[in-house]
Amino acid sequence: MRYIGAVYRPPSEAHSLIIQATLGCRHGKCTFCGSYLGKPFKIRSLEDIREDLADALQMGPVRRVFLADGDALSVPQKRLREIVDSVNEFFPSVERIGIYANAQDVLRKSPDDLRELQARKLRIIYLGVETGDRVLLEKIKKGSTFEEMVEAAHRVKEANIDLSVTVLLGIGGVEKSREHARGTAEILSAMDPDFVGALSVMLVPGTELHRDYVEGRFEVPDPFGLIEELRTMIADSSFTNCVFRSNHASNYLPVKGVLPPDREKILEAIDSVLRARDKGMLRPEALRAL
């Protein structure tokens, strides 16, 4: 298998076969993201992708495949259809294909395009939301508005594709912490995703956000400030049926549950930590990672 540069995948794709459909990220402007620094965006050739699939046959039956890198849904529909068809050809046992996207990727696909991919076993789309605060969305250069995020979410769900979104604790800094948490609860309620993953901001050298931090324009909330944001997002959001996780390695406090039924249990656990303010109850700093 060939992996060009560092490969990033969602935690839930830990046991998936990872195939790079693209290199880098088409958008590549988010102020906080260092994942694809120095890695220009490129759509890989179908020939190279099929060679990787052939090499992976030695793994035996594969149930899940994840198409990396960032923004892989931006691949033109004809090529993307050829890629997922190739996955099914080499691995007829596959049950689910997953892919990263941003809202603009989704909106460039017609409802019929998404249904066509769903019929070929594209069953989950991972969408980076980060925040629901309208001012922050522009400041961190996400490239999509609140309304576009919500429209993209509805388009995915109407195609019967699971939607997993990520939000980023601390991205508003100390100054915008409250607005960030409340706005994110608002956008999550409007999107009503199947899965939410809450990560915590980590400063990556070479990013615009890291420069803001070094030059005194950005202050990361302390661990309990991040947990307070998490509490607000869970308490103030409304879901039909959502698996909510904050068990990513970047987080100080891992929680997991299904909302709404587990809401009160999760909030009680969070409140006990906030009352104690004991750092011994949190993930040690040395164990946090992207």
Side-chain angles (χ1 to χ4, degrees):
M1 292 294 298
R2 290 171 295 183
Y3 292 117
I4 301 169
V7 175
Y8 297 90
R9 49 88 182 156
S12 57
E13 301 288 352
H15 302 293
S16 301
L17 169 63
I18 300 177
I19 297 292
Q20 285 181 297
T22 63
L23 305 180
C25 174
R26 181 185 291 275
H27 179 62
K29 296 176 182 176
C30 296
T31 62
F32 57 88
C33 183
S35 298
Y36 305 109
L37 290 174
K39 193 177 187 181
F41 181 79
K42 177 184 177 182
I43 298 173
R44 296 186 68 215
S45 72
L46 183 62
E47 179 183 6
D48 284 350
I49 292 169
R50 288 180 62 85
E51 286 181 5
D52 286 349
L53 289 167
D55 289 344
L57 285 172
Q58 62 185 316
M59 298 175 60
V62 168
R63 292 178 54 247
R64 293 184 175 184
V65 172
F66 178 71
L67 298 178
D69 277 340
D71 287 4
L73 192 71
S74 67
V75 173
Q77 183 71 6
K78 180 177 182 296
R79 170 64 59 81
L80 189 53
R81 185 173 60 240
E82 291 171 337
I83 293 170
V84 295
D85 281 346
S86 295
V87 170
N88 283 287
E89 175 189 339
F90 282 92
F91 295 100
S93 60
V94 73
E95 298 172 2
R96 186 182 89 175
I97 300 172
I99 198 167
Y100 275 139
N102 66 38
Q104 297 304 321
D105 297 334
V106 174
L107 296 177
R108 279 189 286 266
K109 301 291 186 190
S110 70
D112 285 344
D113 288 339
L114 292 173
R115 284 191 286 267
E116 182 178 52
L117 295 171
Q118 193 277 345
R120 288 167 163 81
K121 300 183 183 177
L122 179 67
R123 299 291 159 78
I124 187 165
I125 288 176
Y126 298 89
L127 184 66
V129 172
E130 326 313 345
T131 183
D133 183 81
R134 290 164 171 82
V135 174
L136 270 177
L137 279 171
E138 183 173 356
K139 185 174 182 180
I140 66 175
K141 301 181 181 178
K142 275 301 296 182
S144 298
T145 65
F146 182 108
E147 291 74 20
E148 287 169 336
M149 293 277 195
V150 173
E151 182 184 353
H154 292 174
R155 190 170 297 187
V156 170
K157 290 171 67 67
E158 286 164 6
N160 200 29
I161 298 172
D162 283 346
L163 177 66
S164 179
V165 308
T166 57
V167 296
L168 195 51
L169 305 175
I171 192 60
V174 171
E175 182 182 4
K176 293 277 288 181
S177 179
R178 182 173 298 180
E179 293 89 341
H180 165 50
R182 290 176 175 173
T184 302
E186 180 186 359
I187 200 169
L188 291 177
S189 299
M191 297 175 81
D192 196 19
D194 302 285
F195 303 91
V196 173
L199 287 66
S200 294
V201 68
M202 297 192 75
L203 299 168
V204 180
T207 63
E208 187 174 337
L209 188 66
H210 184 265
R211 289 194 294 274
D212 286 344
Y213 167 75
V214 169
E215 294 172 12
R217 294 187 296 271
F218 182 83
E219 181 183 359
V220 182
D222 69 16
F224 296 106
L226 297 175
I227 294 169
E228 286 169 354
E229 290 185 3
L230 177 65
R231 189 195 191 285
T232 298
M233 291 176 192
I234 293 171
D236 292 0
S237 57
S238 176
F239 301 103
T240 300
N241 186 56
C242 177
V243 176
F244 194 109
R245 299 185 181 97
S246 72
N247 54 1
H248 186 266
S250 64
N251 292 326
Y252 288 101
L253 181 66
V255 301
K256 176 183 176 181
V258 179
L259 302 179
D262 295 332
R263 187 189 313 272
E264 293 309 314
K265 179 178 69 176
I266 293 173
L267 292 177
E268 287 173 9
I270 292 174
D271 286 342
S272 68
V273 172
L274 290 175
R275 283 193 298 269
R277 298 272 163 169
D278 178 3
K279 289 190 176 181
M281 301 172 73
L282 308 181
R283 175 177 279 133
E285 192 69 46
L287 298 182
R288 294 178 66 230
L290 283 172

